[in-house]
Amino acid sequence: LIDLGAPGGTVLLDVISTELPGATDAVSAFWGPRWPRDIVIVVAESQKQFAALACGGTDVAATTTADRIMFAPGAAAISTADLRIVLRHELFHYAARPDTAADAPTWLTEGVADFVGRQVTGQPPTSVAAALSGQLPTEAELATAGPGRSAAYDRAWSFASYIADAYGTDGLRALYVEACGEGHPDISIAVRNALGVELPVVLTEWRQWGNP
């Protein structure tokens, strides 16, 4: 745990340290126990440093790279409940990174990370697909800062939550491995291989799930 000098950084790392055992258990419960435990967690001194070292924008609390999880200095101001979600989200990225291709679909990697992170709230987003377009988010939507990115993340979370609800967490994990691993096939083939159904069927069922 490294504080590079952020205001409140020491306190933030104390909270992270307290939350790490629960976050580790949450990630292992979904992903399994075989992932690296040597983790460097850093709090950037400034937003400029966070952007330079972790490519983090002003609307991002933390990012994960191949060798560390880095928090923005502003993360010191978020609630413990929100920090718990962020930590679990980023820790899943860290655990899954060795098995995740560089060109894996971002909407699925982020949707599954949000599913793992937000399970702690006990509130699956059953209404997200109804409130939004019911379309899988694009890479551009997930990369562009602003309210559109937040809505895109919610759709990705909603889709992952639907898969876990309909096909079990084992089905969601199998889809991640199939669709996001090295040499992964097209998402249509990945859905067929992992879940035994066609993608249009899954998308229709997801929209119906989001419109109870």
Side-chain angles (χ1 to χ4, degrees), residues 21-153:
T24 300
D25 289 345
V27 170
S28 294
F30 176 77
W31 191 243
R34 299 183 65 181
W35 52 277
R37 295 301 201 279
D38 294 327
I39 306 167
V40 177
I41 299 178
V42 183
V43 179
E45 178 185 17
S46 64
Q47 187 62 41
K48 182 178 180 180
Q49 187 182 64
F50 181 58
L53 297 181
C55 299
T58 56
D59 62 339
V60 175
T63 66
T64 299
T65 64
D67 57 356
R68 64 178 174 261
I69 297 172
M70 177 168 274
F71 282 81
I78 68 177
S79 68
T80 299
D82 286 342
L83 182 66
R84 185 174 300 131
I85 292 170
V86 172
L87 179 60
R88 294 179 183 210
H89 176 113
E90 297 302 332
L91 196 61
F92 171 74
H93 281 317
Y94 186 88
R97 183 170 291 276
D99 301 298
T100 304
D103 64 345
T106 304
W107 61 267
L108 188 55
T109 62
E110 295 299 336
V112 173
D114 256 5
F115 171 78
V116 173
R118 292 179 179 274
Q119 277 188 299
V120 69
T121 67
Q123 298 177 336
T126 53
S127 63
V128 169
L132 300 167
S133 70
Q135 301 293 325
L136 294 174
T138 65
E139 297 289 323
E141 288 176 311
L142 290 165
T144 305
R149 175 153 68 181
S150 178
Y153 267 80

Side-chain angles (χ1 to χ4, degrees), residues 10 15 19 33 49 51 62 73 116 122-123 138 149 182 202-203 208:
T10 300
V15 177
E19 292 293 332
Q49 187 182 64
V116 173
Q123 298 177 336
T138 65
R149 175 153 68 181
E182 293 292 343
V202 171
L203 292 176
Q208 292 171 345

